[in-house]
Amino acid sequence: MEFKFTDCGIEIHNATNFDLSQTFDCGQCFRWNNSSGKYTGVVLGKRVSLSKTGINKILIEGVSCKEFETYFADYFDLNTDYESISESFMGIHPILSAAVAECRGIRILKQDPWETLCSFIISQNNNIPRIKKIINALCNEFGESLSEGDYSFPSAQRLASLEPEDLAPIKAGFRAKYIIDAARKVSSGTINFQEIEKMPPEMVQEKLMQISGVGPKVASCVRLYGLHDLSAFPLDVWMKKVMEKFFKSQSPDVFGNYAGVAQQYLYHYSRSHPEVFD
DNA sequence: GTCCAGGATCGGA
DNA sequence: TCCGATCATGGA
C-alpha cells in the first residue's frame, strides 16, 4: 500500500484487501454511513469520508497528513498484512476459505475504546438498524455539536453526570442503566483503557466484565474493535450457529492467534449467505 | 398479533 | 453450575 498526500485528500494506492462496504457494513461499527459509494463517519470529532476512486485506489477526505500518520493509518489498520493473516487459518475448513475469498476486503478498525464499549452495550439483544439509531440519538442529544450538523460521541465524563432516566429520549430501554454504569467506571478511572491495553487478554476480558451489562460477548467486541486484540472472538447468535454447524465441539483456539479476524469473515459471510445453514 | 434482534442478569432448580 | 424467564423497543 502506498499513501499520497494531495490537495483533495489522502490517496491510498495499491489498496488491496480494503473494501469500503465490507469494512463498514460488516457489523463492527455503527457510525459510518454510505451515500452513493461514499462512506462518511465522525472520528476524533471530525467528519471523514472515504470513496473508491479507481482500481485498488481509495481517497480519504477530511484528514490532514499528520492526523493520518498519527491516528488514521492505525484506525483503518492499513499497516496490517491481511493476506498472511487469512492464510494462517483459511485451510481449516471449506466454509472459512469461502468466507475469506468473499470477505478479504474487511479490515478490523481500531475504534475508540470508550465508544466501542458504549456501542456494544447498546447492541445487546438488538438489531443493527436500531443500534445505529440509538447511537445516533445518543450523539445528537449528549455529544458536542461540530460543524455541518455533526455531533461527537459523548464523553464518558458527560454521561457519568447523568442518571439512567436522562437517557429516555434515546430509547435505549433496559440498556440505559448499563451505559451510565460504564460511563461512571470509565470516567472515575475504575476502568482505564490505557492501562488495560497493556494487560493480558484474559485480564482485559475480566476487567471489562466488571461493568454491569458487559458479558463475554460485549467484552470480546471491545477487545477486538476497540483495543485491536485480533485474538478476541465474539460469540453472538450468528457465530454460535456457525460454530454449531461447522465447528461442532471445537474451541475458538482452532483459528489461532487471529481468531477475531476469522470470526469477522465468518460472521459477515454467513449473514450474507444464510442458506449455508440449510 | 407474533417473532426476533452482534446478550446479560437474575432467581430457582 | 445450569437453565429459563425477563428485560425495552421497533421493524419484519
Side-chain angles (χ1 to χ4, degrees):
Chain A
M1 249 182 230
E2 294 162 34
F3 311 123
K4 262 193 174 176
F5 306 99
T6 74
D7 291 343
C8 15
I10 297 159
E11 291 179 353
I12 310 176
H13 294 251
N14 198 12
T16 52
N17 296 330
F18 188 17
D19 182 274
L20 299 181
S21 99
Q22 287 179 12
T23 296
F24 295 122
D25 294 328
C26 72
Q28 63 172 323
C29 55
F30 304 103
R31 283 196 92 197
W32 284 90
N33 295 301
N34 177 15
S35 177
S36 57
K38 186 173 192 172
Y39 282 81
T40 302
V42 176
V43 183
L44 273 189
K46 54 196 301 181
R47 179 186 289 194
V48 179
S49 296
L50 282 77
S51 45
K52 187 178 170 78
T53 52
I55 304 289
N56 289 337
K57 203 168 153 192
I58 288 170
L59 175 67
I60 306 178
E61 294 171 279
V63 172
S64 72
C65 300
K66 180 162 185 176
E67 288 165 338
F68 178 76
E69 286 170 348
T70 60
Y71 190 86
F72 285 90
D74 285 334
Y75 179 90
F76 295 116
D77 202 18
L78 299 179
N79 295 313
T80 295
D81 181 3
Y82 278 84
E83 204 64 39
S84 59
I85 288 180
S86 52
E87 272 174 24
S88 75
F89 52 63
M90 66 185 288
I92 293 174
H93 191 284
I95 185 78
L96 204 37
S97 54
V100 169
E102 191 168 306
C103 308
R104 61 171 80 250
I106 293 179
R107 279 175 187 269
I108 305 294
L109 302 175
K110 184 175 185 179
Q111 304 176 67
D112 175 69
W114 157 244
E115 178 174 341
T116 308
L117 169 62
C118 212
S119 298
F120 280 91
I121 285 174
I122 291 169
S123 81
Q124 68 171 269
N125 197 32
N126 213 342
N127 58 63
I128 291 177
R130 207 168 81 90
I131 295 165
K132 295 179 85 164
K133 201 184 240 180
I134 293 172
I135 292 173
N136 192 49
L138 179 69
C139 295
N140 292 346
E141 196 75 26
F142 303 107
E144 284 181 47
S145 177
L146 310 170
S147 57
E148 304 181 77
D150 292 324
Y151 288 87
S152 68
F153 195 89
S155 67
Q157 288 70 25
R158 171 76 175 107
L159 297 186
S161 70
L162 304 174
E163 298 298 328
E165 308 86 79
D166 299 323
L167 294 186
I170 72 170
K171 300 199 178 294
F174 62 90
R175 307 164 190 87
K177 55 182 180 292
Y178 300 149
I179 296 171
I180 300 300
D181 183 60
R184 290 180 178 167
K185 288 200 164 85
V186 170
S187 73
S188 71
T190 307
I191 298 289
N192 181 329
F193 288 113
Q194 301 197 351
E195 287 175 6
I196 278 184
E197 212 152 7
K198 304 173 198 157
M199 299 177 182
E202 314 78 47
M203 201 179 295
V204 178
Q205 184 84 1
E206 192 184 319
K207 268 278 188 187
L208 291 170
M209 285 175 61
Q210 290 173 1
I211 301 164
S212 86
V214 176
K217 195 272 177 181
V218 171
S220 300
C221 287
V222 175
R223 286 168 52 206
L224 181 57
Y225 308 128
L227 301 172
H228 211 257
D229 171 5
L230 299 183
S231 72
F233 194 81
L235 261 179
D236 74 310
V237 285
W238 283 89
M239 280 308 296
K240 282 178 182 167
K241 281 167 69 178
V242 169
M243 294 303 285
E244 172 69 19
K245 177 143 180 111
F246 301 104
F247 303 93
K248 185 133 178 85
S249 74
Q250 298 189 61
S251 101
D253 295 342
V254 298
F255 301 114
N257 294 334
Y258 301 102
V261 181
Q263 175 272 153
Q264 205 61 38
Y265 294 153
L266 289 168
Y267 173 82
H268 191 53
Y269 183 76
S270 64
R271 285 195 55 140
S272 19
H273 301 279
E275 68 273 11
V276 300
F277 297 116
D278 294 343

